[in-house]
Amino acid sequence: MVALTLGLLVGLAAPRLRQSWVSFQTERTAFNIAQSLRAARTLAVTESQPVDWLWDQASRQFCLGSPEIADCAHPNRSDRFGRPHELEPFLQLTITREDVWESEPVVRISFWPNGTSQATTILVGDQTHARYHLTVESATGQVAVRKAAALIDSG
């Protein structure tokens, strides 16, 4: 009887546990992306040279680079993360900027030594909904993260 009750409770809780795990991974990824964007800005300012944040769509990795670096296979040696970060298979990134095209294999967000960057919006979510909205301000290079709850029902 106890085993039956326990089995029933586990069966009912499993979908919620998976949903919680997906939510946790999505939030963790959004904040890791924000942290790496902020690191790119800091490196650009402290090293007095441009630093690019790269999203390599083919390998589903993000990393720090420079104008000379073509993809995340050869990230910036100054990247304090030390290696590219791979996106979980169930997560999606949508990057919006005037000059970004869906067919680009590697999307770059450039940060310059004066602290400025390219104005960019990044949505992080699963296959059905955007969960986090990251904004990179062009004039300051500052990165903001917010839950995208208001954006979920807008599309």
Side-chain angles (χ1 to χ4, degrees):
M1 181 72 159
V2 172
L4 179 64
T5 304
L6 185 59
L8 183 62
L9 288 174
V10 169
L12 292 173
R16 284 189 165 246
L17 290 175
R18 174 160 168 45
Q19 185 177 11
S20 294
W21 183 82
V22 168
S23 293
F24 169 76
Q25 290 296 327
T26 305
E27 180 177 345
R28 188 176 120 209
T29 298
F31 281 92
N32 281 343
I33 291 170
Q35 184 179 15
S36 68
L37 288 163
R38 290 175 182 133
R41 180 185 182 277
T42 299
L43 278 172
V45 171
T46 59
E47 293 185 2
S48 297
Q49 62 184 6
V51 174
D52 290 345
W53 181 89
L54 306 174
W55 164 238
D56 188 335
Q57 296 189 63
S59 67
R60 295 181 48 82
Q61 295 179 333
F62 61 92
C63 64
L64 300 189
S66 66
E68 300 82 30
I69 294 175
D71 56 34
C72 287
H74 306 94
N76 188 327
R77 294 189 194 283
S78 299
D79 185 352
R80 66 181 178 179
F81 295 109
R83 60 176 172 68
H85 285 272
E86 193 165 330
L87 202 66
E88 295 286 344
F90 58 86
L91 291 177
Q92 299 292 321
L93 285 189
T94 303
I95 300 176
T96 306
R97 202 176 68 228
E98 276 184 26
D99 59 343
V100 171
W101 304 98
E102 290 294 321
S103 61
E104 272 188 77
V106 177
V107 176
R108 295 174 180 274
I109 301 171
S110 297
F111 292 84
W112 293 286
N114 64 0
T116 61
S117 67
Q118 294 169 295
T120 309
T121 299
I122 302 173
L123 298 178
V124 181
D126 55 34
Q127 282 83 359
T128 58
H129 297 103
R131 304 291 181 190
Y132 286 87
H133 183 234
L134 288 77
T135 306
V136 180
E137 295 292 329
S138 63
T140 63
Q142 296 295 312
V143 178
V145 182
R146 65 180 168 93
K147 280 197 164 208
L151 299 173
I152 292 173
D153 296 326
S154 67

